[in-house]
Amino acid sequence: MKIKTFFFISFFLLFTFLANSQEGHRTGYAPESEMSKYADNNHESGNHQTNISGRIIDENTGKPIPYAHVVVVNTNLGVAANDSGHFKPLNLPAGKHTIKVQAMGYKSKEVLMTFEDGKTKKVTFELTPDFINAEGIVVTANRNEVSRRDATNVVNVLESKMLEKTHSANIAEGLNFQPGVRVENNCQNCGFTQLRMNGMEGPYTQILIDGHSVMSALSSVYGLEQIPASMVERVEVIRGGGSVLYGSNAIAGTVNIITKEPTKNSFNASATQGVISDGVTDNVVSMNASLVTDDYQNGLFLFAQHRDRDPFNANPDALWDADGDGVNETKDDFSEVFAIKSTNFGLRAYHRINQRKKISLEYHHLGEFRRGGNKFDLPAHFADIAEQVRSAVNGGTITYDYLSGNLRHDISLYNSFQHIDRETYYGAGQDPNAYGQTTELTNITGMQYTGYLEELLFASATLSAGAEFKYSDLKDDKLNSGAVLPIFRQEYNNMGIYTESEWDLKGAKFKAGVRADKNSLLDKIILSPRANLLLSLNSTTQLRTTYSQGFRAPQIFDEDLHIEVSGASAVRTINSENLTEERSQSFTLSLDNTSAIGEWQTYFMIDGFYTSLSNQFVKEIQQDDEGVAYLFRKNGHGAEVYGVNLEGKIAPSEKVSFSAGWTFQRSKYKEEEVVWESEDGSQAVTTNNILRTPDSYGYFLFNAEPNHYWNLTLNGNYSGEMDLPHLINPENEYTIIEKSNPYLDLGVRVERHFHIDSNVDFIVFTGMKNILNHYQDDFDAGINRDAGYIYGVSYPRMIYFGVKLKN
């Protein structure tokens, strides 16, 4: 009750401040004198209404830029241009305002303008092409729209077109093309994946949908694979601690999935078939459509995607001992690539009550069936091994945005939810009692206030403050001969309150903030501070440094809800009764340069990082009194991760670009941790290395459009050697540490465009993934295989082809 009372008091106080504050707002960047070359004319409006209207064009060609955005800096007030580059009058109060114009593929432009009562400014803005997206707009750095160049954190962006050009059907497949990020498969049977950032495991990364941490423990198990590319506008990635804004788990970094917002009337539909081997196919059909009213007051975006993939066995010639006579005489028929059938659909819509009030709605349904093991034509409990999951995820967000009449104060109220219903079978040896059912409801109610102040302490500043109340209720039951047997239930809530201020200094920006979280699983309040400094060394070079703290509460995590079947038995995870929260301290230092050499545009970044973990969570294999193995989670002695990320981009023109990233890192425990220990304690396997983390990995992307008809994309991912556990003896769970082989995953895609008319394209494409077929060649075979002994590329070589219709 105290938490709820405090939450509503916070709402009241912020609304009161909004209504009564008399502070001025911060001005922008470009001098007013620059406005003279854009002004076509000024004339009396006759009704004393101050506004701006005009058009946006390409400065090189003079052609209009359709669907560009004109916004008032430090507010959410804006208007979109139509298909001819013209934008309708944008009403604002008299005074000085910085107007920003931005469009995909162009450098944003800011101009300081003075608006007088009763006058309208009609202007023409000229934008410079941005081939390398150095100045794209991002929101994850501070929960407000800001240019990547102006963000005090390094923000990497994975655009939807890159998901398409790398033939990524979902987010998990596309994130490998980001520096410091790896997505790996952790299970032969069901394809459970983890996103690893800066050398840390998946639970150290906070996954957001449109800025909200509604991706819960349960949905994170297979969640990134379930989010279709057709739903996504872009994915923003911030490496380093972000707990000050996003709470628990934002230690290694934050991945913010931005769903598509309707900006124009459009339609896209595509169909693709991939062929792995004879009779093994991967088929994807997707569509999306966007509808916007002529006055841009209402918009609706719809998406849908269906996928159907066959299972694949990489060991058809391997033999194993099926009858226990000591002779390997039975052929392996277990899958390494799981079967999947998924149907996803959803929408995003908005309604502008007026130019200062907006209501937004996002909804998604993610339905999926996946299964790995053998005997796919029989029910799961007739298989020798089966991991089967049937899940239905329903989630969404409703948001109300309000901008004060003087454009100095923004407030956003939101509620996000996600409900998951999951039916599972994790079993071996034809066990009829290995069925389960898991449900979870997650709900987040929150608000954020943003104020633009002429002076706060020592300089003009942007002040952000907010509160979030998160509730989660997770139930996991076992179905035993028709009876429902409760396994566990985890119900918790978390109240988070944060404030952060960014001061705009001449040639520099300084940001500092702190968040207080009270989690019902903990007896104390957790404070997570963060400080950032951005220095503009010159017009092309910037230096950034960050210090942050974060935490993870001792709750049930995503990997616990994936019951790994290893050695013909299900292995569960159990938390120690004395498990306490895990804390982190992170430091980053980065230097980036954006330059132009003639017509060529270049970008280079070097980013050093260090994270120290205390009381980190570790797991060791133990056995209970009945000899059943389980993973026991306890607090460790600490760990540290450090390294450097390199990123470079070069584009001679808008038709040719090359980008690459590379990471060198070390991930180590401060003291040796136990991986396996014999029941009597006489034998043990220990390690100083955090497992499944290579010391080096990287990617590259090359794209060329020689003309309006052809497009070529080459891409590659490399990962070096890494240590990983390997279960050798199922009887006593004896586990050793193996060294994996390095791998290189190369891909190619070719497109041919046919212009049906000026607005409609028909596209035919083909390509190949894993050209070199660098696929793991030492999988275990048979019912006693270690399903967790898997590494490297997720697919063997696959050829695909498809068609697309878009306007």
Side-chain angles (χ1 to χ4, degrees):
M1 179 62 67
K2 290 182 180 180
I3 291 178
K4 293 182 179 179
T5 301
F6 181 82
F7 186 66
F8 287 115
I9 290 175
S10 299
F11 267 97
F12 175 78
L13 290 176
L14 284 172
F15 270 122
T16 301
F17 180 73
L18 179 66
N20 293 283
S21 176
Q22 297 299 316
E23 288 287 348
H25 71 282
R26 187 180 68 174
T27 58
Y29 308 99
E32 185 176 2
S33 59
E34 284 191 26
M35 195 56 233
S36 59
K37 68 179 182 180
Y38 302 113
D40 293 332
N41 59 73
N42 290 332
H43 63 276
E44 296 291 338
S45 65
N47 60 1
H48 302 288
Q49 176 66 56
T50 300
N51 58 51
I52 180 175
S53 65
R55 64 196 298 256
I56 303 110
I57 63 174
D58 186 305
E59 75 168 9
N60 294 333
T61 66
K63 294 181 178 180
I65 302 175
Y67 313 113
H69 284 260
V70 180
V71 298
V72 182
V73 171
N74 295 333
T75 77
N76 61 10
L77 183 64
V79 66
N82 60 20
D83 55 4
S84 64
H86 289 87
F87 61 95
K88 293 183 177 182
L90 179 64
N91 300 325
L92 16 147
K96 290 185 177 182
H97 301 289
T98 300
I99 305 299
K100 174 182 281 190
V101 186
Q102 55 201 36
M104 184 68 69
Y106 288 86
K107 296 179 180 179
S108 59
K109 184 180 291 290
E110 295 186 7
V111 182
L112 175 62
M113 302 171 63
T114 299
F115 294 86
E116 301 178 13
D117 265 340
K119 290 187 177 182
T120 294
K121 286 186 180 291
K122 189 174 182 181
V123 298
T124 297
F125 291 102
E126 298 178 355
L127 298 187
T128 303
D130 180 10
F131 309 142
I132 57 177
N133 194 28
E135 299 188 18
I137 302 301
V138 295
V139 297
T140 313
N142 58 9
R143 288 182 180 253
N144 296 297
E145 285 193 353
V146 64
S147 167
R148 286 184 63 203
R149 185 169 175 79
D150 295 331
T152 54
N153 296 83
V154 175
V155 183
N156 289 96
V157 178
L158 177 64
E159 298 176 341
S160 59
K161 66 179 181 180
M162 280 296 102
L163 293 173
E164 180 177 302
K165 292 183 184 303
T166 57
H167 193 64
S168 300
N170 53 54
I171 299 302
E173 295 177 16
L175 279 171
N176 281 313
F177 299 98
Q178 293 294 301
V181 178
R182 291 176 55 249
V183 179
E184 64 180 21
N185 189 344
N186 286 172
C187 180
Q188 291 174 247
N189 291 329
C190 71
F192 165 50
T193 60
Q194 276 199 74
L195 183 151
R196 292 177 176 261
M197 190 180 300
N198 279 359
M200 286 183 274
E201 293 179 290
Y204 291 97
T205 298
Q206 183 69 273
I207 309 296
L208 312 172
I209 297 181
D210 291 326
H212 306 307
S213 57
V214 74
M215 288 284 287
S216 63
L218 185 58
S219 63
S220 296
V221 179
Y222 308 110
L224 289 176
E225 300 164 88
Q226 293 178 336
I227 297 178
S230 60
M231 168 184 172
V232 177
E233 175 66 33
R234 66 183 186 276
V235 181
E236 298 179 6
V237 179
I238 293 184
R239 299 181 299 273
S243 290
V244 67
L245 291 181
Y246 301 111
S248 176
N249 302 347
I251 293 175
T254 304
V255 174
N256 191 6
I257 300 164
I258 310 296
T259 59
K260 289 184 178 179
E261 184 172 22
T263 58
K264 61 179 180 178
N265 294 328
S266 65
F267 175 80
N268 291 273
S270 66
T272 306
Q273 182 173 74
V275 179
I276 297 176
S277 65
D278 291 341
V280 179
T281 61
D282 185 0
N283 304 310
V284 180
V285 178
S286 64
M287 63 78 62
N288 60 62
S290 181
L291 301 171
V292 180
T293 58
D294 291 340
D295 58 4
Y296 291 93
Q297 295 298 103
N298 303 281
L300 173 66
F301 172 79
L302 302 169
F303 76 89
Q305 180 171 299
H306 177 76
R307 187 177 192 182
D308 189 346
R309 185 179 68 197
D310 300 318
F312 173 73
N313 177 18
N315 275 335
D317 298 324
L319 300 176
W320 64 286
D321 180 13
D323 52 16
D325 62 359
V327 180
N328 293 332
E329 55 190 11
T330 303
K331 281 193 173 184
D332 180 275
D333 62 347
F334 299 97
S335 64
E336 275 69 45
V337 176
F338 60 93
I340 184 172
K341 290 186 178 181
S342 64
T343 300
N344 309 311
F345 57 85
L347 61 86
R348 182 170 176 177
Y350 70 82
H351 168 64
R352 295 186 185 276
I353 302 171
N354 55 43
Q355 287 191 343
R356 297 185 292 106
K357 300 176 183 178
K358 178 182 176 183
I359 297 176
S360 303
L361 174 68
E362 185 273 329
Y363 167 77
H364 57 268
H365 169 84
L366 310 176
E368 183 186 81
F369 172 84
R370 63 171 63 201
R371 178 173 166 178
N374 70 342
K375 299 181 180 179
F376 289 87
D377 57 333
L378 298 177
H381 63 275
F382 286 111
D384 298 305
I385 290 179
E387 293 193 32
Q388 175 179 292
V389 181
R390 188 187 305 274
S391 60
V393 179
N394 290 282
T397 299
I398 185 169
T399 305
Y400 173 75
D401 293 306
Y402 171 80
L403 175 64
S404 65
N406 58 12
L407 311 185
R408 295 172 296 187
H409 310 285
D410 292 338
I411 193 162
S412 179
L413 310 177
Y414 56 87
N415 190 87
S416 298
F417 83 96
Q418 186 166 259
H419 182 268
I420 305 170
D421 191 349
R422 200 178 80 174
E423 300 173 355
T424 60
Y425 180 88
Y426 294 120
Q430 302 183 0
D431 181 3
N433 298 316
Y435 288 94
Q437 183 170 1
T438 310
T439 61
E440 183 182 37
L441 173 65
T442 302
N443 192 83
I444 300 174
T445 301
M447 67 169 300
Q448 175 168 312
Y449 162 80
T450 304
Y452 307 100
L453 312 178
E454 281 189 347
E455 186 171 353
L456 179 64
L457 298 179
F458 50 83
S460 63
T462 301
L463 176 65
S464 298
E468 281 188 338
F469 182 78
K470 182 175 183 178
Y471 170 79
S472 177
D473 184 9
L474 186 150
K475 301 176 185 178
D476 187 41
D477 300 324
K478 182 177 181 180
L479 306 181
N480 192 340
S481 301
V484 178
L485 303 178
I487 300 299
F488 65 79
R489 178 176 182 178
Q490 177 179 268
E491 186 177 14
Y492 76 92
N493 59 68
N494 188 95
M495 182 67 199
I497 302 171
Y498 63 89
T499 182
E500 188 171 60
S501 181
E502 180 176 296
W503 285 271
D504 191 357
L505 310 173
K506 293 182 178 180
K509 289 186 177 183
F510 175 70
K511 181 167 64 177
V514 65
R515 178 179 175 120
D517 282 279
K518 178 59 180 73
N519 191 298
S520 60
L521 299 177
L522 299 172
D523 296 327
K524 57 187 176 181
I525 295 175
I526 303 294
L527 296 179
S528 302
R530 179 174 75 171
N532 302 68
L533 178 64
L534 166 64
L535 296 175
S536 296
L537 303 182
N538 53 48
S539 60
T540 62
T541 307
Q542 295 179 307
L543 180 73
R544 292 176 173 86
T545 184
T546 300
Y547 168 77
S548 61
Q549 293 184 10
F551 79 102
R552 287 206 297 162
Q555 62 194 62
I556 299 297
F557 292 102
D558 55 1
E559 68 268 32
D560 308 332
L561 301 169
H562 162 249
I563 311 303
E564 184 177 287
V565 178
S566 296
S569 62
V571 181
R572 290 185 175 271
T573 300
I574 298 176
N575 284 347
S576 167
E577 293 182 358
N578 300 319
L579 194 67
T580 63
E581 79 276 2
E582 182 176 5
R583 299 302 305 266
S584 70
Q585 296 190 73
S586 298
F587 304 86
T588 65
L589 179 65
S590 66
L591 182 73
D592 67 85
N593 178 274
T594 305
S595 300
I597 306 173
E599 296 295 324
W600 292 48
Q601 295 182 8
T602 63
Y603 172 81
F604 175 77
M605 184 272 297
I606 180 170
D607 174 36
F609 60 90
Y610 173 84
T611 298
S612 176
L613 302 174
S614 58
N615 296 321
Q616 93 283 1
F617 302 146
V618 296
K619 291 187 290 186
E620 64 179 60
I621 296 178
Q622 297 188 3
Q623 291 184 332
D624 60 21
D625 295 337
E626 298 179 359
V628 178
Y630 63 92
L631 292 172
F632 182 69
R633 179 185 284 113
K634 62 181 182 178
N635 291 115
H637 301 96
E640 58 183 7
V641 179
Y642 53 90
V644 60
N645 292 304
L646 303 174
E647 183 183 10
K649 298 180 181 180
I650 185 168
S653 70
E654 63 180 346
K655 297 183 180 298
V656 180
S657 64
F658 176 82
S659 61
W662 202 270
T663 299
F664 300 95
Q665 66 175 47
R666 296 299 303 273
S667 304
K668 303 183 72 66
Y669 296 117
K670 294 180 180 178
E671 297 183 19
E672 286 198 347
E673 300 289 354
V674 176
V675 176
W676 172 86
E677 187 174 16
S678 62
E679 190 173 359
D680 59 6
S682 61
Q683 293 179 297
V685 175
T686 62
T687 183
N688 275 115
N689 295 323
I690 297 178
L691 300 180
R692 307 190 71 94
T693 56
D695 290 342
S696 66
Y697 51 95
Y699 72 94
F700 77 86
L701 281 166
F702 171 79
N703 189 71
E705 299 180 33
N707 53 47
H708 294 295
Y709 302 102
W710 291 94
N711 183 281
L712 169 68
T713 302
L714 301 174
N715 63 77
N717 270 284
Y718 171 83
S719 181
E721 296 178 342
M722 62 181 177
D723 292 343
L724 67 161
H726 189 184
L727 175 67
I728 298 298
N729 188 341
E731 293 183 2
N732 63 3
E733 302 297 327
Y734 177 57
T735 301
I736 65 173
I737 296 175
E738 300 267 20
K739 182 78 72 175
S740 72
N741 297 318
Y743 68 85
L744 176 63
D745 179 11
L746 296 178
V748 62
R749 176 185 172 107
V750 179
E751 297 179 2
R752 175 61 164 93
H753 292 237
F754 299 89
H755 304 301
I756 297 177
D757 61 32
S758 59
N759 295 318
V760 180
D761 275 10
F762 180 73
I763 304 169
V764 178
F765 57 88
T766 186
M768 184 181 295
K769 303 184 74 167
N770 195 8
I771 295 173
L772 302 178
N773 203 27
H774 273 192
Y775 195 58
Q776 184 177 345
D777 58 3
D778 61 343
F779 287 112
D780 289 349
I783 192 172
N784 290 319
R785 70 178 185 172
D786 179 4
Y789 182 63
I790 183 172
Y791 60 88
V793 187
S794 299
Y795 292 94
R797 181 186 295 119
M798 182 176 73
I799 300 172
Y800 64 88
F801 52 90
V803 295
K804 181 176 182 178
L805 183 70
K806 74 171 187 177
N807 72 336

